[in-house]
Amino acid sequence: MPGTVITFYSYKGGVGRSFTLANIAVLLARWGNRVLCVDWDLEAPGLADYFRPLLAADPASGVVDLVDDFVSGRPDPGAHRTRLTGEGTLDLIAAGRADPDYVGRVQRIDWAGLYEDGFGEYLEQCRARWTEEYDYVLLDSRTGVSDIGGICTAHLPDRLVVLFTANLQSVRGAVEIAERANAARDRLPYDRPQLPVLPVLSRFDSREEYARAEEWRRICLEETKGLYHNWLHGDVTPDQMARYLTLPYVSFWTFGEQLPVRTEPEPAPDQVSFALETVAAVIASHFDRADLLTENRDAYVASVRASRREFPHELRVSTPRSLLGVAQELVAELTAFGARAQLSLSGDRSLLQRGEDDARHLCLLVDGKVNRWQATEAELFLHRTLGQDRRVLPVLAGDADARDLPGSFGNLRYLRLGTGGPAELAREIAGQLDGSGEDDASAVLRRASRATLRPLLWELVDEIVRALGDADQEQARELIGDLALVVKRTGRGVPAPASTRAAIERALRATEEGEPG
C-alpha cells in the first residue's frame, strides 16, 4: 500500500521541530519501516546535522536540486537521496549542498512562477515516487507563513504534526496554520481529504512551578482541542490524549543536535525518549487506537514495535518441572511441523528482565493449577501484547480444571493434553499458528478492529460482522474469509465507526468464549 506523508510544522522557531522529526524517523526505521526525511526548511536547514552520526559524507544535493531539475527540464523524482546507516531503511533528502552558492540558489527560487509552470504536477510525481518506495515520508517545514509552508502543510501531506511551546504566539500560530492548510486543500486540483492534525506540546517543563505548568497545559488544550475532532477515539478525551502528546524539557538535550533515542533504547518515563516513543507510536498507528494508549501505554508502543518485527521464535512453551518431559517432546513435535518453538522452565528469571518477548505466542502447560511463576509470566505477556495478534494458549494436563484458571485467562480458549500425547497437541497448536485452526476468526476480528478503511468498506465490514451472530459454523467460516479479504485493504481511510467497532468487539468476545459466531 502507498506510504504516508507527514509534515512537521511549527509557527515559531526553537520548539524542537527538527529534533522531534529526526528522533521519530530513527524510531520508525528501527521498528521496521522504510522512512524518507525531506528538509523543506530551506532558509534554515538542519536535519543533516541531526543525522550526522548516520552520514558517511555530507549530502551532495537536495531539495534545491529538485527545483533546479524541474527548471532545467530534466526532472527526476527519485534523485538527491542520501542513505543513512545504522537504523534500518532511513534516507534523507537534505535542503541542498552546504556550499557558498546555496543561499543564492534559495533566494532565486520563485515559487509562484514555478507553480504557474507546472511545478505542482512535478511535486505530485515526486510524492507518488516517495510513497511507493517508503512507508513514511517526513517533511520538515519552514516556520511561519510562507510559500514553502503551504507546500508542506497543504499540498503534500496526508497528516500534519504541529509542535508548539507553552505561549500563545506559538500555539495560536500553529492552530491557525492547521486550519488554513485544510481550507487550502479544498482549493487544490488534487484529491486530498481533510488533514488529521496531531498537536504536540514541546519543551514543556512541569518539574518546577507545577501549578503554573498545569495552568498552561489547560490553556494549550483549550486552544488546540478543535484539532482532535476528526481522529480521536470517542472514548478518549482531548485532555487525556494531550498528556501523551507532550515532550518534556530536558536541558541535557538542548545542547547541540542530538538523537536521544539512540542512547536511551529502553527509556524511563522521565526521559525524553519515552515521550518520543509515544508520539512515534501514535504516528505509526495512523493516529488510531488512542483507547489502547490510555489503557496501557507500554503495550501500545510494543504493539507498534511488533507490527513489523520478525520474532526469533513463534511459540514459547512454558512448563513446570513436573511436565518437563512432555514439554520437550512438544517442542520437538512443533519443530517437526515447521513451528519455531522454544522451551521455558518455570523460574527462569531472565524472562522478567527482558524489555520484549522473543516469541510471538505463549503456550502454558498446566499441571493441576497454574503455578505462581506461570501466572506472573502470562500476566507480563498479556500486558506487553495488549491489542496485538499474539496469544496465550493454556494447555491442561492430567486433572487440571479450566475453572481453576486465573481470572485473567477467563476469555482464553484452552487445549487439553489428551491420549494422543504431545504429537496430537502439536498438531492442534500448529494448526492455530498457521491460521488453519479455529482461533483464526479471532485474529481476523482483531485485524478488523485495528484497520483503517474507506467508509463504504466499513459498511461492508459492519454487515459481515453482524451476520456472524446468526451464522452456523460453515457460514461463519465463509464470513470470516470475506472479512479477511476486506481488511487486507487497510491503509488510507478512517478507523471503524463506533457502532461497527462495538459489533466487532462483541463478535470477538463471543468467538473467544467459544460461542457461535
Side-chain angles (χ1 to χ4, degrees):
M1 72 184 68
T4 303
V5 181
I6 303 171
T7 289
F8 286 67
Y9 173 85
S10 62
Y11 182 73
K12 304 282 285 185
V15 305
R17 184 195 67 247
S18 299
F19 166 87
T20 302
L21 184 153
N23 279 277
I24 285 177
V26 169
L27 289 171
L28 292 175
R30 183 184 297 165
W31 295 343
N33 298 286
R34 302 164 299 164
V35 182
L36 173 67
C37 302
V38 187
D39 194 345
W40 275 94
D41 190 0
L42 302 187
E43 282 77 8
L47 278 185
D49 292 319
Y50 282 100
F51 291 130
R52 187 84 43 205
L54 309 180
L55 283 168
D58 289 341
S61 61
V63 173
V64 293
D65 299 277
L66 282 174
V67 175
D68 286 348
D69 290 348
F70 174 77
V71 172
S72 63
R74 43 183 176 80
D76 184 358
H80 310 301
R81 288 178 278 190
T82 301
R83 173 57 51 91
L84 307 178
T85 60
E87 293 290 353
T89 302
L90 179 56
D91 292 344
L92 168 68
I93 298 180
R97 182 182 180 87
D99 59 22
D101 296 330
Y102 174 80
V103 173
R105 295 173 68 193
V106 172
Q107 291 175 339
R108 287 193 294 270
I109 296 176
D110 175 11
W111 294 106
L114 285 171
Y115 266 79
E116 289 177 1
D117 293 336
F119 187 67
E121 289 297 329
Y122 175 49
L123 282 182
E124 283 295 292
Q125 296 172 26
C126 293
R127 187 183 190 282
R129 179 74 172 269
W130 297 340
T131 56
E132 178 184 355
E133 299 181 13
Y134 297 93
D135 300 303
Y136 294 97
V137 181
L138 309 184
L139 310 181
D140 195 17
S141 175
R142 183 186 175 189
T143 58
V145 180
S146 65
D147 292 328
I148 292 177
I151 293 171
C152 293
T153 59
H155 182 170
L156 290 175
D158 298 302
R159 300 178 186 274
L160 184 60
V161 177
V162 295
L163 291 99
F164 51 89
T165 52
N167 67 74
L168 290 177
Q169 290 182 56
S170 183
V171 64
R172 286 178 176 172
V175 171
E176 180 184 356
I177 287 297
E179 293 171 347
R180 290 176 58 161
N182 267 320
R185 285 165 78 86
D186 290 338
R187 300 190 297 270
L188 288 173
Y190 314 109
D191 183 17
R192 295 282 193 275
Q194 288 288 290
L195 273 172
V197 182
L198 194 73
V200 177
L201 174 57
S202 183
R203 297 192 171 181
F204 188 69
D205 190 351
S206 59
R207 292 172 296 182
E208 299 180 11
E209 302 291 344
Y210 178 80
R212 189 165 177 80
E214 283 301 298
E215 173 64 12
W216 270 98
R217 190 191 293 276
R218 185 195 64 77
I219 292 171
C220 290
L221 176 63
E222 189 64 28
E223 296 289 336
T224 60
K225 64 182 181 182
L227 301 179
Y228 293 91
H229 72 94
N230 66 345
W231 62 267
L232 185 60
H233 190 282
D235 293 335
V236 180
T237 67
D239 179 52
Q240 289 176 297
M241 193 66 194
R243 292 180 181 273
Y244 290 97
L245 300 178
T246 299
L247 303 179
Y249 173 79
V250 181
S251 60
F252 181 84
W253 299 114
T254 64
F255 299 100
E257 292 81 12
Q258 303 185 72
L259 295 171
V261 296
R262 301 196 75 214
T263 57
E264 298 173 347
E266 294 185 11
D270 61 343
Q271 293 180 302
V272 70
S273 295
F274 188 87
L276 287 165
E277 278 190 344
T278 306
V279 176
V282 173
I283 289 172
S285 300
H286 302 287
F287 301 7
D288 193 18
R289 297 308 307 273
D291 55 329
L292 174 58
L293 171 60
T294 55
E295 180 180 347
N296 187 330
R297 178 268 177 198
D298 292 344
Y300 183 83
V301 173
S303 70
V304 174
R305 284 193 190 126
S307 62
R308 293 177 177 269
R309 182 182 170 199
E310 290 293 329
F311 288 87
H313 304 284
E314 200 160 4
L315 183 73
R316 183 168 77 246
V317 178
S318 172
T319 181
R321 293 187 181 277
S322 58
L323 293 176
L324 180 57
V326 172
Q328 289 171 331
E329 289 185 51
L330 177 60
V331 169
E333 293 288 349
L334 286 166
T335 302
F337 278 110
R340 303 185 309 277
Q342 68 171 163
L343 182 64
S344 165
L345 187 62
S346 292
D348 183 359
R349 295 183 180 278
S350 68
L351 292 173
L352 303 183
Q353 298 167 354
R354 297 174 188 168
E356 295 181 343
D357 282 283
D358 55 6
R360 183 176 294 277
H361 306 293
L362 173 63
C363 173
L364 293 177
L365 294 184
V366 180
D367 187 10
K369 293 185 177 181
V370 174
N371 64 37
R372 185 177 301 176
W373 176 265
Q374 287 183 307
T376 302
E377 183 181 12
E379 289 282 0
L380 183 60
F381 184 90
L382 290 169
H383 175 82
R384 288 171 172 168
T385 62
L386 185 66
Q388 302 176 43
D389 184 17
R390 299 171 66 189
R391 305 176 224 171
V392 174
L393 304 173
V395 175
L396 307 185
D399 59 354
D401 191 331
R403 291 172 294 184
D404 293 330
L405 291 173
S408 57
F409 297 3
N411 288 331
L412 301 178
R413 187 184 299 276
Y414 64 88
L415 302 175
R416 185 169 289 280
L417 179 63
T419 56
E424 179 182 337
L425 179 61
R427 185 176 293 104
E428 287 186 70
I429 293 174
Q432 293 194 15
L433 296 182
D434 68 12
S436 61
E438 56 187 343
D439 274 353
D440 191 47
S442 298
V444 173
L445 287 164
R446 289 192 190 95
R447 287 201 298 273
S449 71
R450 298 192 300 269
T452 52
L453 302 171
R454 295 179 180 177
L456 284 175
L457 289 178
W458 278 125
E459 292 179 13
L460 179 58
V461 169
D462 191 87
E463 181 180 331
I464 292 172
V465 172
R466 293 180 189 279
L468 283 170
D470 300 319
D472 59 29
Q473 188 172 3
E474 184 61 32
Q475 291 170 333
R477 187 177 298 112
E478 292 180 2
L479 288 167
I480 287 295
D482 292 341
L483 182 61
L485 290 175
V486 175
V487 299
K488 279 184 179 180
R489 302 174 66 89
T490 188
R492 293 185 183 178
V494 297
S499 59
T500 303
R501 184 186 292 275
I504 293 171
E505 290 172 353
R506 285 195 300 271
L508 183 56
R509 284 195 299 271
T511 299
E512 292 181 339
E513 290 168 3
E515 299 173 5

